[in-house]
């Protein structure tokens, strides 16, 4: 057991970083206090820390390349970046995303298509309130964005498409799409 010289709490040695040259082989400040001090220093002058990292990367290119190759080979990159993106952008965990996906039956909420192999459904949200709405394929999500989520604009586009094509052709095409979707879902 050791007492941290910053917070004054008596903690097990596992809560301290090792440090050669210290009498007991551990730093005097606990890991939590050490990390908090590092965070304060970074917030006070982030550019100095970034410059230090860039300089280390410039002088050790082989170690940077080795670390990057190991990370890519581990397969953790794609999952880690996906988890990070969902959390940063939407406050959503991967588990919550998977639950939304299951609730939607694994298909786009608008068109009912499954995402292409190796792709995922996009998280659709209200850009004004930030409220999550559903999971959409790239095409549907992009279309909503292109129409600025404006219902009047979307209705006008739908009216245009209906007028531009004979109505019975639109109905036949949509029924065929729905039949194909139903067959794909039922596995027939």
């Amino acid at each position: 057991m050791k007492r941290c010289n910053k917070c004054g709490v008596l903690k097990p040695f596992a809560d301290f970083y090792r440090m050669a040259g210290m009498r007991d082989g551990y730093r005097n400040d606990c890991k939590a206090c050490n990390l908090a001090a590092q965070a304060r220093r970074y917030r006070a002058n982030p550019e100095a820390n970034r410059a230090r990292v860039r300089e280390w990367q410039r002088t050790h290119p082989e170690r940077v390349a080795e670390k990057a190759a190991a990370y890519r080979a581990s397969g953790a990159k794609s999952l880690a970046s996906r988890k990070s993106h969902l959390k940063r952008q939407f406050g959503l965990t991967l588990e919550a995303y998977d639950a939304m996906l299951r609730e939607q039956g694994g298909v786009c909420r608008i068109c009912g298509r499954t995402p292409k192999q190796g792709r995922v459904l996009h998280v659709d949200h209200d850009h004004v309130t930030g409220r999550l709405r559903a999971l959409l394929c790239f095409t549907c999500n992009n279309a909503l964005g292109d129409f600025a989520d404006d219902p009047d604009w979307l209705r006008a586009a739908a009216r245009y498409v209906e007028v531009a094509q004979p109505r019975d052709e639109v109905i036949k095409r949509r029924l065929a799409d729905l039949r194909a979707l139903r067959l794909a879902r039922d596995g027939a």
Side-chain angles (χ1 to χ4, degrees):
M1 297 289 282
K2 180 172 180 150
R3 188 172 304 279
C4 173
N5 69 350
K6 298 283 193 259
C7 64
V9 177
L10 191 62
K11 298 181 177 187
F13 284 110
D15 287 353
F16 293 83
Y17 290 115
R18 295 193 63 51
M19 185 174 190
M22 299 301 289
R23 195 174 322 158
D24 58 8
Y26 293 92
R27 292 182 59 93
N28 287 327
D29 54 344
C30 68
K31 290 178 181 179
C33 291
N34 181 274
L35 291 173
Q38 284 181 26
R40 280 192 304 276
R41 282 192 302 273
Y42 181 83
R43 281 192 305 272
N45 190 1
E47 192 47 47
N49 285 293
R50 289 184 195 127
R52 181 183 51 77
V53 169
R54 281 192 300 271
E55 177 60 23
W56 186 90
Q57 290 172 335
R58 189 186 64 71
T59 58
H60 301 89
E62 69 289 338
R63 292 197 41 205
V64 171
E66 181 183 310
K67 189 78 167 171
Y71 186 61
R72 281 191 305 275
S74 73
K77 182 182 187 299
S78 57
L79 179 60
S81 60
R82 177 104 184 107
K83 285 172 73 171
S84 174
H85 168 73
L86 289 171
K87 196 66 167 170
R88 271 184 292 110
Q89 291 297 116
F90 310 110
L92 196 62
T93 65
L94 198 51
E95 294 76 19
Y97 174 91
D98 290 341
M100 284 178 73
L101 188 61
R102 278 191 306 278
E103 182 183 306
Q104 284 184 210
V107 298
C108 171
R109 178 63 58 95
I110 292 176
C111 69
R113 291 181 295 193
T114 56
K116 294 179 181 173
Q117 183 66 30
R119 300 289 183 172
V120 294
L121 292 176
H122 295 246
V123 178
D124 179 46
H125 65 288
D126 184 314
H127 288 264
V128 175
T129 65
R131 184 182 65 81
L132 302 183
R133 294 189 285 216
L135 301 178
L136 305 178
C137 68
F138 173 80
T139 304
C140 291
N141 193 43
N142 207 43
L144 285 181
D146 288 345
F147 280 98
D149 291 342
D150 185 331
D152 293 331
W153 203 359
L154 288 161
R155 279 190 284 277
R159 280 191 302 274
Y160 167 77
V161 170
E162 289 173 348
V163 170
Q165 293 181 338
R167 182 73 180 144
D168 56 338
E169 290 300 314
V170 172
I171 293 170
K172 285 180 191 175
R173 185 172 45 100
R174 186 62 185 148
L175 286 173
D177 288 347
L178 289 172
R179 271 191 228 102
L181 179 64
R182 203 172 299 121
L183 287 173
R185 280 192 195 153
D186 297 340

